[in-house]
Amino acid sequence: MGRRRKGVAPRGTVVLDCDGLSRLVDAEHKVVAFVQECRKLGMRVAVSALTIIEATHAGTDRKRLAWLLSGMHIEPVDDSAAHLASKLLQANGLHGHTHAIDAVVAEAAIRQSAPVVLMTSDLDDMTTLCGDEVHLIRT
């Protein structure tokens, strides 16, 4: 998997949700090919720090995950991100108990360098949270 050269401005961003990251770690052809194509186009690949937690389980290939993450931008979840994600939930009538991680991922996607593509398994919630600001691709 190619890496973006340091010092080169990204031409947009692809964000992976839990399903996207999990499928990339599992080397699913569709996701690997999509991420490779995005990198060829000069796009930055990003994940929320919470996505890493959500996608990790007992069967995760930790070495492959670490290698993949070394070539990605990891969006931290600080107090500002938490407040903005909370506002997204409130503005869309959703509850944090069910949609907290989706809101954090959506908030991170909205802040990325445009154009932004979010690879997700949850088109309904992400459409609600991201609106027209982010192009969604189903994993």
Side-chain angles (χ1 to χ4, degrees), residues 4-5 10 14 22 36 63 65 75 77 80 88 93 100 103 107 112-115 126 130 133 136:
R4 189 173 63 81
R5 292 179 297 159
V14 60
S22 294
Q36 285 176 337
K63 288 184 180 181
L65 175 63
E75 279 293 327
V77 182
S80 176
L88 273 177
E107 185 278 329
Q112 300 305 305
S113 300
M126 288 305 190
C130 295
E133 296 183 58
L136 303 176

PDB file of all heavy atoms in Angstrom, residues 4-5 10 14 22 36 63 65 75 77 80 88 93 100 103 107 112-115 126 130 133 136:
ATOM      1  N   ARG A   4       1.592   8.425   1.272  1.00  0.00           N
ATOM      2  CA  ARG A   4       1.632   9.785   0.763  1.00  0.00           C
ATOM      3  C   ARG A   4       2.959  10.403   1.141  1.00  0.00           C
ATOM      4  O   ARG A   4       3.453  10.245   2.243  1.00  0.00           O
ATOM      5  CB  ARG A   4       0.487  10.603   1.373  1.00  0.00           C
ATOM      6  CG  ARG A   4       0.335  11.957   0.725  1.00  0.00           C
ATOM      7  CD  ARG A   4      -0.902  12.667   1.226  1.00  0.00           C
ATOM      8  NE  ARG A   4      -0.882  12.949   2.626  1.00  0.00           N
ATOM      9  CZ  ARG A   4      -0.244  13.988   3.171  1.00  0.00           C
ATOM     10  NH1 ARG A   4       0.436  14.817   2.427  1.00  0.00           N
ATOM     11  NH2 ARG A   4      -0.289  14.187   4.463  1.00  0.00           N
ATOM     12  N   ARG A   5       3.565  11.101   0.190  1.00  0.00           N
ATOM     13  CA  ARG A   5       4.851  11.732   0.458  1.00  0.00           C
ATOM     14  C   ARG A   5       4.679  12.894   1.429  1.00  0.00           C
ATOM     15  O   ARG A   5       3.728  13.662   1.344  1.00  0.00           O
ATOM     16  CB  ARG A   5       5.466  12.240  -0.839  1.00  0.00           C
ATOM     17  CG  ARG A   5       5.883  11.120  -1.762  1.00  0.00           C
ATOM     18  CD  ARG A   5       6.468  11.648  -3.034  1.00  0.00           C
ATOM     19  NE  ARG A   5       5.427  12.397  -3.729  1.00  0.00           N
ATOM     20  CZ  ARG A   5       5.667  13.317  -4.651  1.00  0.00           C
ATOM     21  NH1 ARG A   5       6.882  13.627  -4.985  1.00  0.00           N
ATOM     22  NH2 ARG A   5       4.681  13.948  -5.242  1.00  0.00           N
ATOM     23  N   PRO A  10      -2.668  17.191   0.610  1.00  0.00           N
ATOM     24  CA  PRO A  10      -3.637  16.202   0.138  1.00  0.00           C
ATOM     25  C   PRO A  10      -4.634  16.812  -0.829  1.00  0.00           C
ATOM     26  O   PRO A  10      -4.947  17.995  -0.753  1.00  0.00           O
ATOM     27  CB  PRO A  10      -4.329  15.753   1.426  1.00  0.00           C
ATOM     28  CG  PRO A  10      -4.142  16.868   2.376  1.00  0.00           C
ATOM     29  CD  PRO A  10      -2.840  17.526   2.007  1.00  0.00           C
ATOM     30  N   VAL A  14     -10.121  10.680   2.407  1.00  0.00           N
ATOM     31  CA  VAL A  14     -11.029   9.549   2.572  1.00  0.00           C
ATOM     32  C   VAL A  14     -10.973   9.168   4.045  1.00  0.00           C
ATOM     33  O   VAL A  14      -9.899   9.046   4.628  1.00  0.00           O
ATOM     34  CB  VAL A  14     -10.686   8.357   1.658  1.00  0.00           C
ATOM     35  CG1 VAL A  14      -9.305   7.813   1.899  1.00  0.00           C
ATOM     36  CG2 VAL A  14     -11.727   7.256   1.796  1.00  0.00           C
ATOM     37  N   SER A  22     -11.915  -2.085   9.609  1.00  0.00           N
ATOM     38  CA  SER A  22     -11.884  -3.532   9.857  1.00  0.00           C
ATOM     39  C   SER A  22     -11.665  -4.305   8.563  1.00  0.00           C
ATOM     40  O   SER A  22     -10.868  -5.250   8.512  1.00  0.00           O
ATOM     41  CB  SER A  22     -13.190  -3.998  10.506  1.00  0.00           C
ATOM     42  OG  SER A  22     -13.321  -3.455  11.786  1.00  0.00           O
ATOM     43  N   GLN A  36      -6.163   2.240  -2.061  1.00  0.00           N
ATOM     44  CA  GLN A  36      -5.012   2.415  -2.946  1.00  0.00           C
ATOM     45  C   GLN A  36      -5.302   3.447  -4.026  1.00  0.00           C
ATOM     46  O   GLN A  36      -4.456   4.288  -4.331  1.00  0.00           O
ATOM     47  CB  GLN A  36      -4.615   1.078  -3.588  1.00  0.00           C
ATOM     48  CG  GLN A  36      -3.908   0.150  -2.649  1.00  0.00           C
ATOM     49  CD  GLN A  36      -3.618  -1.208  -3.281  1.00  0.00           C
ATOM     50  OE1 GLN A  36      -4.274  -1.634  -4.231  1.00  0.00           O
ATOM     51  NE2 GLN A  36      -2.620  -1.885  -2.731  1.00  0.00           N
ATOM     52  N   LYS A  63      -0.435  -6.243  14.316  1.00  0.00           N
ATOM     53  CA  LYS A  63       0.715  -5.756  13.535  1.00  0.00           C
ATOM     54  C   LYS A  63       0.247  -5.108  12.239  1.00  0.00           C
ATOM     55  O   LYS A  63       0.745  -4.051  11.860  1.00  0.00           O
ATOM     56  CB  LYS A  63       1.698  -6.888  13.252  1.00  0.00           C
ATOM     57  CG  LYS A  63       2.472  -7.313  14.473  1.00  0.00           C
ATOM     58  CD  LYS A  63       3.489  -8.368  14.142  1.00  0.00           C
ATOM     59  CE  LYS A  63       4.237  -8.764  15.418  1.00  0.00           C
ATOM     60  NZ  LYS A  63       5.254  -9.787  15.141  1.00  0.00           N
ATOM     61  N   LEU A  65      -2.728  -3.814  11.695  1.00  0.00           N
ATOM     62  CA  LEU A  65      -3.413  -2.584  12.092  1.00  0.00           C
ATOM     63  C   LEU A  65      -2.401  -1.471  12.338  1.00  0.00           C
ATOM     64  O   LEU A  65      -2.564  -0.356  11.833  1.00  0.00           O
ATOM     65  CB  LEU A  65      -4.259  -2.813  13.346  1.00  0.00           C
ATOM     66  CG  LEU A  65      -4.935  -1.579  13.939  1.00  0.00           C
ATOM     67  CD1 LEU A  65      -5.936  -0.965  12.968  1.00  0.00           C
ATOM     68  CD2 LEU A  65      -5.603  -1.925  15.263  1.00  0.00           C
ATOM     69  N   GLU A  75      -7.403  11.191  13.636  1.00  0.00           N
ATOM     70  CA  GLU A  75      -8.066  12.370  14.189  1.00  0.00           C
ATOM     71  C   GLU A  75      -8.256  12.187  15.686  1.00  0.00           C
ATOM     72  O   GLU A  75      -8.956  11.271  16.114  1.00  0.00           O
ATOM     73  CB  GLU A  75      -9.433  12.575  13.537  1.00  0.00           C
ATOM     74  CG  GLU A  75      -9.384  13.254  12.210  1.00  0.00           C
ATOM     75  CD  GLU A  75      -8.929  14.697  12.316  1.00  0.00           C
ATOM     76  OE1 GLU A  75      -9.212  15.379  13.321  1.00  0.00           O
ATOM     77  OE2 GLU A  75      -8.278  15.153  11.362  1.00  0.00           O
ATOM     78  N   VAL A  77      -9.721  12.930  19.456  1.00  0.00           N
ATOM     79  CA  VAL A  77     -11.032  13.332  19.964  1.00  0.00           C
ATOM     80  C   VAL A  77     -10.780  14.162  21.211  1.00  0.00           C
ATOM     81  O   VAL A  77     -10.556  13.631  22.290  1.00  0.00           O
ATOM     82  CB  VAL A  77     -11.927  12.111  20.282  1.00  0.00           C
ATOM     83  CG1 VAL A  77     -13.288  12.574  20.769  1.00  0.00           C
ATOM     84  CG2 VAL A  77     -12.056  11.223  19.057  1.00  0.00           C
ATOM     85  N   SER A  80     -13.110  19.906  21.934  1.00  0.00           N
ATOM     86  CA  SER A  80     -13.753  20.612  20.829  1.00  0.00           C
ATOM     87  C   SER A  80     -14.494  19.639  19.916  1.00  0.00           C
ATOM     88  O   SER A  80     -15.649  19.871  19.540  1.00  0.00           O
ATOM     89  CB  SER A  80     -12.705  21.393  20.031  1.00  0.00           C
ATOM     90  OG  SER A  80     -13.303  21.999  18.910  1.00  0.00           O
ATOM     91  N   LEU A  88     -23.919  17.966  16.533  1.00  0.00           N
ATOM     92  CA  LEU A  88     -24.444  17.227  15.382  1.00  0.00           C
ATOM     93  C   LEU A  88     -25.594  16.320  15.801  1.00  0.00           C
ATOM     94  O   LEU A  88     -26.617  16.241  15.115  1.00  0.00           O
ATOM     95  CB  LEU A  88     -23.345  16.370  14.747  1.00  0.00           C
ATOM     96  CG  LEU A  88     -22.448  16.989  13.704  1.00  0.00           C
ATOM     97  CD1 LEU A  88     -21.383  15.979  13.256  1.00  0.00           C
ATOM     98  CD2 LEU A  88     -23.245  17.479  12.517  1.00  0.00           C
ATOM     99  N   GLY A  93     -31.547  15.344  16.029  1.00  0.00           N
ATOM    100  CA  GLY A  93     -32.497  14.601  16.848  1.00  0.00           C
ATOM    101  C   GLY A  93     -32.047  13.198  17.215  1.00  0.00           C
ATOM    102  O   GLY A  93     -32.880  12.314  17.408  1.00  0.00           O
ATOM    103  N   ALA A 100     -23.115   7.925  19.372  1.00  0.00           N
ATOM    104  CA  ALA A 100     -21.959   8.728  19.786  1.00  0.00           C
ATOM    105  C   ALA A 100     -20.762   8.566  18.853  1.00  0.00           C
ATOM    106  O   ALA A 100     -20.189   9.561  18.388  1.00  0.00           O
ATOM    107  CB  ALA A 100     -21.560   8.389  21.223  1.00  0.00           C
ATOM    108  N   ALA A 103     -21.316  10.039  15.439  1.00  0.00           N
ATOM    109  CA  ALA A 103     -21.242  11.501  15.466  1.00  0.00           C
ATOM    110  C   ALA A 103     -19.797  11.984  15.483  1.00  0.00           C
ATOM    111  O   ALA A 103     -19.457  12.966  14.822  1.00  0.00           O
ATOM    112  CB  ALA A 103     -21.997  12.052  16.675  1.00  0.00           C
ATOM    113  N   GLU A 107     -18.213  14.140  12.545  1.00  0.00           N
ATOM    114  CA  GLU A 107     -17.587  15.435  12.861  1.00  0.00           C
ATOM    115  C   GLU A 107     -16.174  15.482  12.307  1.00  0.00           C
ATOM    116  O   GLU A 107     -15.765  16.481  11.708  1.00  0.00           O
ATOM    117  CB  GLU A 107     -17.598  15.650  14.383  1.00  0.00           C
ATOM    118  CG  GLU A 107     -17.096  16.994  14.831  1.00  0.00           C
ATOM    119  CD  GLU A 107     -15.586  17.093  14.908  1.00  0.00           C
ATOM    120  OE1 GLU A 107     -14.923  16.074  15.182  1.00  0.00           O
ATOM    121  OE2 GLU A 107     -15.051  18.203  14.681  1.00  0.00           O
ATOM    122  N   GLN A 112     -12.357  17.581   7.428  1.00  0.00           N
ATOM    123  CA  GLN A 112     -11.232  17.218   6.573  1.00  0.00           C
ATOM    124  C   GLN A 112     -11.119  18.099   5.332  1.00  0.00           C
ATOM    125  O   GLN A 112     -12.063  18.782   4.948  1.00  0.00           O
ATOM    126  CB  GLN A 112     -11.339  15.748   6.157  1.00  0.00           C
ATOM    127  CG  GLN A 112     -11.334  14.777   7.304  1.00  0.00           C
ATOM    128  CD  GLN A 112     -10.140  14.934   8.221  1.00  0.00           C
ATOM    129  OE1 GLN A 112      -8.996  14.878   7.776  1.00  0.00           O
ATOM    130  NE2 GLN A 112     -10.399  15.144   9.500  1.00  0.00           N
ATOM    131  N   SER A 113      -9.966  17.999   4.686  1.00  0.00           N
ATOM    132  CA  SER A 113      -9.729  18.709   3.421  1.00  0.00           C
ATOM    133  C   SER A 113     -10.639  18.140   2.344  1.00  0.00           C
ATOM    134  O   SER A 113     -10.670  16.932   2.128  1.00  0.00           O
ATOM    135  CB  SER A 113      -8.275  18.538   2.981  1.00  0.00           C
ATOM    136  OG  SER A 113      -7.386  19.045   3.939  1.00  0.00           O
ATOM    137  N   ALA A 114     -11.371  19.021   1.690  1.00  0.00           N
ATOM    138  CA  ALA A 114     -12.319  18.606   0.655  1.00  0.00           C
ATOM    139  C   ALA A 114     -11.579  18.259  -0.632  1.00  0.00           C
ATOM    140  O   ALA A 114     -10.491  18.777  -0.868  1.00  0.00           O
ATOM    141  CB  ALA A 114     -13.318  19.734   0.410  1.00  0.00           C
ATOM    142  N   PRO A 115     -12.166  17.418  -1.441  1.00  0.00           N
ATOM    143  CA  PRO A 115     -13.407  16.693  -1.220  1.00  0.00           C
ATOM    144  C   PRO A 115     -13.206  15.584  -0.190  1.00  0.00           C
ATOM    145  O   PRO A 115     -12.113  15.035  -0.063  1.00  0.00           O
ATOM    146  CB  PRO A 115     -13.734  16.115  -2.594  1.00  0.00           C
ATOM    147  CG  PRO A 115     -12.407  15.960  -3.262  1.00  0.00           C
ATOM    148  CD  PRO A 115     -11.562  17.078  -2.743  1.00  0.00           C
ATOM    149  N   MET A 126     -25.057   8.173   8.731  1.00  0.00           N
ATOM    150  CA  MET A 126     -24.019   9.095   8.261  1.00  0.00           C
ATOM    151  C   MET A 126     -24.584  10.138   7.302  1.00  0.00           C
ATOM    152  O   MET A 126     -24.128  11.272   7.294  1.00  0.00           O
ATOM    153  CB  MET A 126     -22.854   8.336   7.632  1.00  0.00           C
ATOM    154  CG  MET A 126     -22.026   7.602   8.656  1.00  0.00           C
ATOM    155  SD  MET A 126     -21.437   8.721   9.976  1.00  0.00           S
ATOM    156  CE  MET A 126     -20.299   7.646  10.796  1.00  0.00           C
ATOM    157  N   CYS A 130     -23.829  13.823   8.311  1.00  0.00           N
ATOM    158  CA  CYS A 130     -22.887  14.550   7.446  1.00  0.00           C
ATOM    159  C   CYS A 130     -23.575  15.482   6.461  1.00  0.00           C
ATOM    160  O   CYS A 130     -22.940  16.406   5.948  1.00  0.00           O
ATOM    161  CB  CYS A 130     -22.019  13.568   6.660  1.00  0.00           C
ATOM    162  SG  CYS A 130     -20.913  12.568   7.664  1.00  0.00           S
ATOM    163  N   GLU A 133     -22.099  17.559   2.964  1.00  0.00           N
ATOM    164  CA  GLU A 133     -20.699  17.965   3.049  1.00  0.00           C
ATOM    165  C   GLU A 133     -19.722  16.832   2.767  1.00  0.00           C
ATOM    166  O   GLU A 133     -18.560  17.076   2.459  1.00  0.00           O
ATOM    167  CB  GLU A 133     -20.405  18.552   4.439  1.00  0.00           C
ATOM    168  CG  GLU A 133     -21.184  19.815   4.720  1.00  0.00           C
ATOM    169  CD  GLU A 133     -20.833  20.406   6.063  1.00  0.00           C
ATOM    170  OE1 GLU A 133     -19.660  20.704   6.279  1.00  0.00           O
ATOM    171  OE2 GLU A 133     -21.752  20.532   6.884  1.00  0.00           O
ATOM    172  N   LEU A 136     -20.593   9.783   0.607  1.00  0.00           N
ATOM    173  CA  LEU A 136     -20.580   8.494   1.305  1.00  0.00           C
ATOM    174  C   LEU A 136     -20.443   7.345   0.326  1.00  0.00           C
ATOM    175  O   LEU A 136     -21.079   7.339  -0.728  1.00  0.00           O
ATOM    176  CB  LEU A 136     -21.860   8.328   2.127  1.00  0.00           C
ATOM    177  CG  LEU A 136     -22.143   9.421   3.155  1.00  0.00           C
ATOM    178  CD1 LEU A 136     -23.484   9.181   3.820  1.00  0.00           C
ATOM    179  CD2 LEU A 136     -21.033   9.511   4.172  1.00  0.00           C
TER     180      LEU A 136
END
